[in-house]
Amino acid sequence: MEAVAAVLPTLVPSGSAVVPRRSSLATVVPLVVVLLAYLGYLAAAGAILPGKLVDGAVLPDSSRLHYRCNGLLSLLLLLGLSAFGVYMGWMSPTVVADRGLELLSVTFIFSVIVSFTLYFAGIKSQHKSSSLRPHASGSFIQDWWLGVQLNPHFMGIDLKFFFVRAGMMAWLFINLSLFAKSYLAGSTNLSVILYQFFCAWYIIDYFIHEEFMTSTWDIIAEKLGFMLVFGDLVFIPFTFTIQGWWLLRNKVELSLLAGLANLCIFLIGYLVFRGANKQKHVFKKDPKAPIWGKPPKVVGGKLLASGYWGIARHCNYLGDLLLALSFSLPCGVSSVIPYFYPTYLLILLIWRERRDEARCSQKYREIWAEYCKLVPWRILPYVY
């Protein structure tokens, strides 16, 4: 009973992030304040810092949103401020690793509150634009889960774009806190370095190409409800770091050969993922832009069938899956726990691919049928 009593406090939000043996600002400030300060910084940085203004997709009412893509600058500035805070002793570099479960619970509660707020605000909306008018199904569960409005705003902030940015940055900061704890414990090895390097590369590369996000299905077509809010603020930062938590508690020694093989899988996944998304983004901006040095092959004047998109209809998913696998391989094969992310992603992307296929078949009809004949493979050529 005493053991249970000792464990329970770590599973719920506490009033403060207390770290024994060290006195810092982070040890006395409630985690709720830390979360709100983090989101407040991102809101202010997103509005103030310079960045490329990118046109969003044309919406059904012919309107178009505009996105300031300054995520990389916001990230670098926050990294600098955090490093300065650690240097001055105002915060502990391991505060997130020390209080991860508490921060998880605080963020989960926040995402639930936000999703209910979005639901009630959306239902009451009198706006007529495609972005803000209510797209309600009449089912409370469905509308709360999937959302009511396409692009809800708060104080001029596009919340859908904002939450994705917040989740991706949080992923990196959780990893850095785990790395600091591993380094201070003297347990940093090749497995830890590879995992941290792969994730950091992926996240920083995301912000370098942040404008590509504006042409994705989530931004263009998904409404903002609990599914996306929870996915961005909770699922991405806290489940995509499971490998980091695993390596913190389990020492895995990789051979140099295994490390090189892992690196090859990461690089191949990155080239396919980034290359495919870039080709799609460029094609949407300029349908005549060359693909791999040749004029693009276009089906029905709408569907790209060149480059990676001439190999498989959802080739970017293959790259994403290889990247996810490379994040887990440094953990070895002694447990399935570090492989939660690639397993989840495989299920998600097959489900999404099926949904995309049904939507495209209905939208493009004969054009889609012709495209499927030309490009028969869905994700992995000659397999699926």
Side-chain angles (χ1 to χ4, degrees):
M1 192 69 179
E2 292 179 0
V4 174
V7 171
L8 281 177
T10 67
L11 301 180
V12 296
S14 68
S16 61
V18 180
V19 183
R21 305 186 306 275
R22 176 158 186 161
S23 176
S24 67
L25 186 63
T27 66
V28 296
V29 175
L31 288 176
V32 174
V33 176
V34 173
L35 175 62
L36 294 179
Y38 169 67
L39 297 176
Y41 164 81
L42 291 183
I48 296 172
L49 296 179
K52 182 178 180 180
L53 198 62
V54 178
D55 294 334
V58 177
L59 300 174
D61 62 356
S62 299
S63 64
R64 174 177 285 188
L65 298 178
H66 305 279
Y67 301 91
R68 185 180 299 278
C69 294
N70 55 9
L72 180 62
L73 186 56
S74 299
L75 173 61
L76 295 177
L77 178 58
L78 185 55
L79 284 171
L81 292 173
S82 300
F84 182 73
V86 170
Y87 176 77
M88 296 298 294
W90 296 340
M91 60 184 293
S92 166
T94 65
V95 63
V96 176
D98 293 332
R99 289 292 179 262
L101 284 176
E102 295 173 73
L103 187 58
L104 166 62
S105 59
V106 167
T107 310
F108 173 75
I109 292 170
F110 177 78
S111 68
V112 172
I113 294 172
V114 168
S115 61
F116 275 111
T117 303
L118 288 170
Y119 170 78
F120 289 114
I123 290 295
K124 296 178 181 179
S125 175
Q126 301 297 318
H127 288 274
K128 302 299 182 183
S129 67
S130 294
S131 289
L132 300 177
R133 72 178 179 87
H135 301 262
S137 67
S139 167
F140 166 74
I141 296 298
Q142 181 176 333
D143 291 336
W144 172 75
W145 180 268
L146 296 177
V148 176
Q149 293 176 301
L150 185 62
N151 298 102
H153 284 64
F154 177 71
M155 298 179 66
I157 300 171
D158 184 299
L159 293 178
K160 191 192 296 184
F161 193 68
F162 174 78
F163 287 148
V164 176
R165 177 179 290 183
M168 292 296 292
M169 285 194 193
W171 178 7
L172 178 62
F173 277 92
I174 291 174
N175 269 347
L176 290 176
S177 185
L178 294 171
F179 181 74
K181 194 170 182 68
S182 174
Y183 177 79
L184 292 174
S187 59
T188 303
N189 57 16
L190 180 60
S191 295
V192 173
I193 292 172
L194 284 178
Y195 165 73
Q196 291 286 344
F197 173 74
F198 294 158
C199 289
W201 180 311
Y202 181 87
I203 295 165
I204 292 173
D205 178 77
Y206 168 87
F207 285 109
I208 291 175
H209 301 95
E210 190 177 29
E211 67 176 280
F212 293 177
M213 186 66 191
T214 63
S215 60
T216 61
W217 172 256
D218 285 353
I219 294 295
I220 295 174
E222 293 281 18
K223 294 170 288 185
L224 185 62
F226 179 76
M227 183 181 72
L228 285 186
V229 175
F230 172 82
D232 292 338
L233 296 182
V234 180
F235 199 85
I236 287 177
F238 291 99
T239 64
F240 289 14
T241 54
I242 286 176
Q243 302 94 321
W245 293 101
W246 173 263
L247 289 172
L248 188 63
R249 291 163 175 78
N250 299 272
K251 189 172 183 179
V252 178
E253 295 291 351
L254 284 184
S255 67
L256 182 59
L257 182 60
L260 289 174
N262 198 171
L263 178 62
C264 289
I265 293 173
F266 171 79
L267 291 175
I268 293 171
Y270 172 76
L271 290 173
V272 174
F273 175 76
R274 177 55 61 213
N277 284 330
K278 184 176 182 179
Q279 287 176 355
K280 179 178 68 174
H281 182 77
V282 170
F283 175 73
K284 288 183 176 181
K285 298 294 183 181
D286 181 9
K288 296 183 179 180
I291 301 293
W292 287 347
K294 299 179 180 179
K297 182 183 295 183
V298 183
V299 179
K302 296 181 179 181
L303 301 177
L304 177 63
S306 289
Y308 289 106
W309 301 96
I311 298 174
R313 302 197 293 271
H314 304 275
C315 49
N316 55 328
Y317 291 174
L318 174 60
D320 215 357
L321 289 168
L322 289 174
L323 286 170
L325 179 62
S326 73
F327 297 161
S328 298
L329 287 174
C331 299
V333 294
S334 63
S335 172
V336 298
I337 293 176
Y339 291 86
F340 170 81
Y341 174 37
T343 302
Y344 150 79
L345 192 64
L346 176 63
I347 296 171
L348 173 70
L349 292 182
I350 290 179
W351 170 76
R352 177 170 284 191
E353 173 266 322
R354 292 302 178 104
R355 191 177 65 162
D356 290 349
E357 292 273 326
R359 179 181 62 87
C360 290
S361 178
Q362 184 178 19
K363 180 178 179 179
Y364 297 111
R365 298 185 183 278
E366 296 83 6
I367 297 177
W368 183 253
E370 182 182 351
Y371 176 60
C372 290
K373 290 180 180 179
L374 187 64
V375 186
W377 304 109
R378 296 170 181 259
I379 297 177
L380 181 60
Y382 303 105
V383 177
Y384 177 73

